[in-house]
Amino acid sequence: MQRIVVLAGGIGGARFLRGLKSAVPDAEITVIGNTGDDIHLFGLKVCPDLDTVMYTLGGGIHEEQGWGRAGESFAVKEELAAYGVGPEWFGLGDRDFATHIVRTQMLGAGYPLSAVTEALCRRWEPGVRLLPMSDDRVETHVMIDDPEGDGRKAVHFQEYWVRLRASTTAHAVVPVGAEQAKPAPGVLEAVAMADVILFPPSNPVVSVGTILSVPGVRDAVAAASAPVVGLSPIVGDAPVRGMADKVLEAVGVESTASAVALHYGSGLLDGWLVDTVDAGRVAEVEAAGIRCRAVPLMMTDVEATAAMAAEALALAAEVRA
Ligand code: GDP
Ligand code: CA
């Protein structure tokens, strides 16, 4: 049986995983999920990227939106607002609240996040092993200009992304706590035992980059015997969805499919897929020592996504040979 490890963020990672499962239903898939986006709201621990993967693969996702639950209502949010209790910019629905309550209760009882995630997945049966990158708290912060002063200030990633819609320049992206964090149980083992390691079209800075910032993870991926193949989240010099260009700018990387590949580098990547519209960038990636192909990379439906996953696995087999 093929063992596949995927380093995943939220929407891009989750949608890719659905295609991957469809392409190789018998594979044993371990997902290392980003927890840098986690935030405490109303006393509850919210893990947006883990939940997006869990709901998407478990059939509970709001399909059009890409995050949150289908058939959601917002009575709790409205009641909190009536008390004047915010933030109101983070949309937690009633069904979603239940997940965060269960998670917070279990964490309070002393279970590590990895065990809590496993317990939540018992309900959703995502068909993959979903591991948080770490059981330790890591919170991505973004340095922005302080409108009230002449200096800069750090805001939580969700405040930058959701409240500010990345409308102001990100000067730096800092995974606070990462230096002291340890990979969650099973993470390094899964990477070492993998037959293939995939970077889905997830955000290279605040999703895959944050996972790689947990000490030991980057080295384990670089040292793994398995080929590492990534798929570009940048198509036609822009993110397909969202504002990844803003955080790429913060780390000095252009928003092109080739610049992202070079940012990961040949020390990490063996193969890279760009979209057919970026075929002109293949040579640049190959010149950097990364095998590269141009194939359709739009996850319009499960079939198209499964075809992308199959291309990634084919490229992995090619670099292994
Ligand atoms: P987030 O945590 O919800 O932001 O999700 P991820 O980090 O997993 O993925 C976000 C990235 O997915 C964005 O940079 C998008 O450009 C990328 N993305 C979304 N849909 C597609 C798609 O259909 N094709 C490709 N190639 N990338 C996509
Ligand atoms: Ca995310």
Side-chain angles (χ1 to χ4, degrees), residues 8-15 37 49 161 201-204 207 232-235 238-242 244 297-300 308:
I11 302 180
R15 290 196 171 154
D37 293 15
D49 285 1
W161 206 249
S202 279
N203 191 306
S207 293
S232 180
I234 303 294
V235 171
V240 174
R241 201 189 148 116
L297 286 190
M298 296 303 284
M299 299 189 283
T300 42
M308 285 165 53

Side-chain angles (χ1 to χ4, degrees), residues 292-303:
C292 186
R293 297 281 175 274
V295 300
L297 286 190
M298 296 303 284
M299 299 189 283
T300 42
D301 54 32
V302 177
E303 289 68 40

Side-chain angles (χ1 to χ4, degrees), residues 188 190-194 197 218-228 270:
L188 297 182
V191 169
M193 299 290 288
I197 299 169
R218 177 184 289 273
D219 290 345
V221 171
S225 56
V228 181
D270 299 299

Side-chain angles (χ1 to χ4, degrees), residues 31-118:
V31 178
I32 302 173
N34 172 40
T35 56
D37 293 15
D38 293 5
I39 185 167
H40 286 80
L41 294 168
F42 315 109
L44 301 174
K45 167 87 162 175
V46 180
C47 302
D49 285 1
L50 294 181
D51 289 349
T52 296
V53 170
M54 185 173 79
Y55 294 155
T56 301
L57 301 183
I61 199 77
H62 185 305
E63 284 294 340
E64 296 71 39
Q65 195 169 256
W67 53 269
R69 293 288 309 281
E72 193 56 287
S73 54
F74 291 89
V76 174
K77 189 174 189 247
E78 285 161 21
E79 289 296 316
L80 288 165
Y83 283 110
V85 175
E88 79 304 316
W89 48 264
F90 202 88
L92 291 182
D94 299 332
R95 293 173 188 275
D96 201 17
F97 258 113
T99 303
H100 314 315
I101 291 169
V102 174
R103 174 184 293 122
T104 307
Q105 194 173 32
M106 285 190 73
L107 288 170
Y111 291 94
L113 183 62
S114 50
V116 175
T117 304
E118 195 181 336

